[in-house]
């Protein structure tokens, strides 16, 4: 019960900041361009800097090698997620135009704007290495695999016609991932970090980076509030396909992740509790906020995509305390 109350309190703090963004947007104090502006600041400036500083200051080459097994756990959970999601599409006969949304809903999470601030609020900075592992695999999954399921689900596409979405290297290598890759190169080459974090070096640079990186969580939460305000809470509804998608996101996805981890624990693998908690919470995070945009470009059911984005974002507040309570039993 203690873990439940703690997580409920942490989620409550997050909800208050989201509510602030929601109110600011609905009250007209944030203009139409602010959402794109804040997204740019987070994705292209603050987050890459935050990730770079966190990796080079909290990881080393030995610890990096020890995380290779973590990457395999996440990879396996994503692979099983796609297999099960495709099977569910066939079993429940999800209509064309919704299939790509459903598969992405079941597998790919909103790790940046929701998963990351929640993880940091619940567990602190020490879980960031595990978050980065999940973020890396989620990014590759969403932009190298998930987008193909959406484009293949185009109801207007003639069988055998040209795939309109295609492979987008810019989407596969967003700025946060570039920041992560640069930090990995820094560690592998053994470059010094004393010039930005030690008093004898140049601490002003490090302090500036830390300040910029600190913008990520509050701005991300305000961004979520803006998204919810634009979508409109009144648009929420629960048809059969939406409920199935929510079950896939909140029950099946974390269950797959947890099952993979428990399996390897029984084979003798040592998996820290923080790693388990981070991966399971990330696996249950709401779906990608850009899903309606991607679906719209492929002439899919945008209303369905918008609905599952909004409902999964709102219901995540209820799901997290329940998952935290379950994790205490592992």
């Amino acid at each position: 019960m203690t873990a439940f109350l703690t997580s409920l309190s942490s989620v409550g703090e997050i909800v208050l900041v989201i509510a602030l963004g929601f109110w600011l947007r609905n009250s007209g104090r944030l203009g139409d361009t602010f959402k794109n502006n804040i997204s740019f600041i987070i994705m292209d400036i603050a987050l890459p800097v935050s990730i770079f500083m966190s990796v080079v200051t909290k990881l080393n080459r030995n610890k990096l090698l020890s995380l290779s097994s973590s990457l395999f756990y996440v990879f396996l959970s994503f692979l099983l997620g796609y297999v099960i999601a495709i099977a569910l599409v066939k079993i429940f006969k999800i209509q064309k135009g919704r299939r790509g949304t459903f598969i992405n809903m079941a597998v790919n999470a909103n790790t940046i704007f929701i998963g990351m601030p929640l993880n940091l609020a619940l567990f602190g900075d020490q879980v960031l290495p595990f978050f980065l592992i999940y973020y890396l695999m989620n990014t590759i999954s969403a932009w190298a695999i998930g987008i193909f399921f959406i484009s293949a689900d185009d109801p207007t596409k003639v069988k055998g016609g040209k795939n309109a979405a295609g492979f987008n290297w810019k989407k596969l290598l967003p700025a946060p991932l570039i920041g992560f890759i640069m930090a990995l190169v820094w560690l592998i080459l053994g470059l010094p970090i004393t010039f930005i974090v030690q008093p004898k070096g140049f601490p002003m640079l490090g302090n500036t980076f830390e300040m910029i990186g600190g913008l990520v969580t509050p701005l991300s939460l305000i961004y979520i509030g803006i998204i919810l305000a634009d979508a409109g809470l009144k648009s929420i509804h629960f048809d059969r396909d939406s409920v199935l998608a929510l079950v896939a996101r909140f029950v099946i996805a974390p269950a797959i992740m947890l099952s993979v981890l428990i399996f390897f624990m029984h084979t003798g693998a040592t998996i820290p509790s923080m790693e388990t908690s981070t991966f399971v919470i990330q696996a249950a995070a709401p779906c990608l906020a850009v899903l309606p945009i991607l679906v719209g470009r492929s002439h899919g059911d945008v209303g369905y995509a918008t609905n599952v984005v909004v409902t999964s974002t709102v219901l995540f507040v209820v799901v997290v305390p329940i998952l935290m309570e379950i994790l205490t039993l592992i």
Side-chain angles (χ1 to χ4, degrees):
M1 182 59 69
T2 302
F4 181 86
L5 294 176
T6 301
S7 60
L8 190 62
S9 176
S10 297
V11 172
E13 296 169 3
I14 291 172
V15 169
L16 289 177
V17 183
I18 293 175
L20 174 61
F22 184 91
W23 174 75
L24 288 172
R25 176 58 174 158
N26 271 346
S27 64
R29 287 171 171 81
L30 299 180
D32 293 337
T33 62
F34 185 77
K35 180 170 65 176
N36 292 332
N37 294 338
I38 197 174
S39 176
F40 173 79
I41 293 173
I42 295 169
M43 292 294 293
D44 294 286
I45 299 176
L47 189 55
V49 170
S50 175
I51 289 175
F52 177 83
M53 287 296 294
S54 297
V55 172
V56 299
T57 57
K58 294 180 173 62
L59 290 179
N60 53 50
R61 277 182 286 186
N62 292 333
K63 187 178 289 187
L64 189 62
L65 290 173
S66 68
L67 289 174
S68 59
S69 57
S70 301
L71 185 61
F72 177 73
Y73 304 151
V74 178
F75 167 78
L76 186 57
S77 72
F78 272 79
L79 180 62
L80 293 173
Y82 276 113
V83 172
I84 293 175
I86 293 171
L88 290 175
V89 166
K90 295 183 179 297
I91 292 172
F92 291 101
K93 299 179 180 178
I94 304 297
Q95 70 184 57
K96 194 169 181 61
R98 294 184 171 187
R99 296 169 189 169
T101 298
F102 183 90
I103 292 173
N104 276 272
M105 177 78 170
V107 182
N108 300 314
N110 191 339
T111 57
I112 292 297
F113 293 113
I114 298 181
M116 184 193 61
L118 179 65
N119 262 106
L120 294 180
L122 289 176
F123 311 119
D125 290 342
Q126 64 268 26
V127 302
L128 194 57
F130 303 124
F131 164 78
L132 291 173
I133 291 296
Y134 198 95
Y135 167 72
L136 174 64
M137 186 54 63
N138 190 82
T139 300
I140 294 172
S141 171
W143 299 112
I145 301 174
I147 192 170
F148 283 102
F149 284 103
I150 293 176
S151 62
D153 191 36
D154 189 340
T156 65
K157 179 181 173 183
V158 178
K159 189 174 182 180
K162 184 179 179 181
N163 190 324
F167 190 82
N168 193 332
W169 281 104
K170 292 182 180 179
K171 291 295 186 180
L172 185 59
L173 290 174
L177 187 55
I178 293 174
F180 182 45
I181 294 172
M182 289 178 63
L184 292 182
V185 173
W186 194 283
L187 289 182
I188 293 172
L189 295 179
L191 299 176
I193 62 170
T194 55
F195 75 100
I196 59 174
V197 296
Q198 297 297 332
K200 294 181 180 180
F202 192 51
M204 184 179 72
L205 185 60
N207 292 337
T208 302
F209 283 173
E210 292 289 349
M211 188 182 299
I212 294 173
L215 296 172
V216 173
T217 300
L219 290 184
S220 296
L221 296 176
I222 290 175
Y223 178 86
I224 296 170
I226 295 172
I227 291 292
L228 290 176
D230 287 345
L233 296 181
K234 293 182 179 180
S235 65
I236 295 177
H237 61 278
F238 298 94
D239 55 40
R240 191 204 68 151
D241 288 354
S242 296
V243 171
L244 288 173
L246 291 170
V247 170
R249 178 94 302 265
F250 291 140
V251 179
I252 297 176
I256 292 173
M257 185 75 256
L258 188 57
S259 298
V260 169
L261 294 174
I262 291 175
F263 171 81
F264 282 100
M265 287 180 190
H266 285 301
T267 63
T270 301
I271 303 177
S273 59
M274 282 293 183
E275 180 177 356
T276 300
S277 298
T278 299
F279 287 166
V280 172
I281 294 298
Q282 287 297 317
C287 62
L288 297 168
V290 297
L291 201 56
I293 298 174
L294 299 175
V295 171
R297 290 177 179 176
S298 294
H299 309 100
D301 190 336
V302 178
Y304 174 69
T306 302
N307 186 54
V308 295
V309 168
V310 175
T311 52
S312 63
T313 301
V314 173
L315 293 178
F316 188 52
V317 176
V318 179
V319 171
V320 171
I322 297 174
L323 284 176
M324 289 294 292
E325 192 67 21
I326 293 174
L327 287 170
T328 62
L329 305 175
I330 304 303

